[in-house]
Amino acid sequence: MVHRGDEPRAAPPWTRGALAVVAGVGIVAALVPLREHVAGANLALLLVVAVLAAAVFGGRVVAILFAVVTALAFDFFLTRPYESFAIDRADDVETTILLVIVGVVGGELVERTRRSERDAACVALTRKAGRFERDGKTRTWTT
């Protein structure tokens, strides 16, 4: 792969996926000391922000992976019974599912926005090329 020095390199997909897994578990683990003092729904709202950030910085696939990992970690670390994938309250089940849904929707919205931006840039470039052609500013290069 040719890389120009002025362009940032994109991380390989497996790296972004691994980072999503580690970050998802890490963020939830960091919230464990708060679980006795802060309502689970409020902790979940913090995780929603993290899931949306993953969507913005990582794209659709990373957002979905991050959301699933975060939802599982939320279930394991922040819902009773703690350190178990069993959930006692229906509210916690809904919250876990909603975290995944936010990741899917957020990731899709980010992808659509990026696609729209690329399409707009292509249209602008095509229009600019058309203006050059009309103005007779096209050049023929010979070797």
Side-chain angles (χ1 to χ4, degrees):
M1 178 176 158
V2 177
H3 174 72
R4 294 191 325 206
D6 59 342
E7 296 175 2
R9 289 184 194 223
W14 68 267
T15 304
R16 289 182 290 171
L19 183 60
V21 170
V22 171
V25 173
I27 290 170
V28 174
L31 296 176
V32 167
L34 302 175
R35 70 184 178 192
E36 296 296 331
H37 310 288
V38 179
N42 293 334
L43 296 174
L45 287 173
L46 293 172
L47 297 176
V48 165
V49 172
V51 167
L52 292 175
V56 169
F57 292 109
R60 178 189 312 139
V61 174
V62 170
I64 292 169
L65 178 61
F66 185 84
V68 168
V69 167
T70 302
L72 291 172
F74 172 80
D75 176 18
F76 190 81
F77 290 112
L78 302 177
T79 63
R80 287 195 170 108
Y82 298 130
E83 298 176 12
S84 165
F85 286 111
I87 301 178
D88 286 345
R89 297 179 38 207
D91 288 347
D92 290 336
V93 172
E94 292 167 1
T95 301
T96 303
I97 292 169
L98 286 171
L99 279 171
V100 174
I101 291 171
V102 165
V104 171
V105 171
E108 185 60 30
L109 289 174
V110 166
E111 283 300 317
R112 288 181 184 212
T113 300
R114 288 183 179 153
R115 189 176 320 125
S116 293
E117 289 171 351
R118 283 191 304 268
D119 291 349
C122 286
V123 168
L125 191 59
T126 302
R127 286 182 180 159
K128 187 175 183 178
R131 280 194 301 270
F132 279 130
E133 211 169 84
R134 262 194 328 269
D135 295 343
K137 294 182 181 177
T138 56
R139 305 237 190 268
T140 305
W141 297 93
T142 58
T143 55

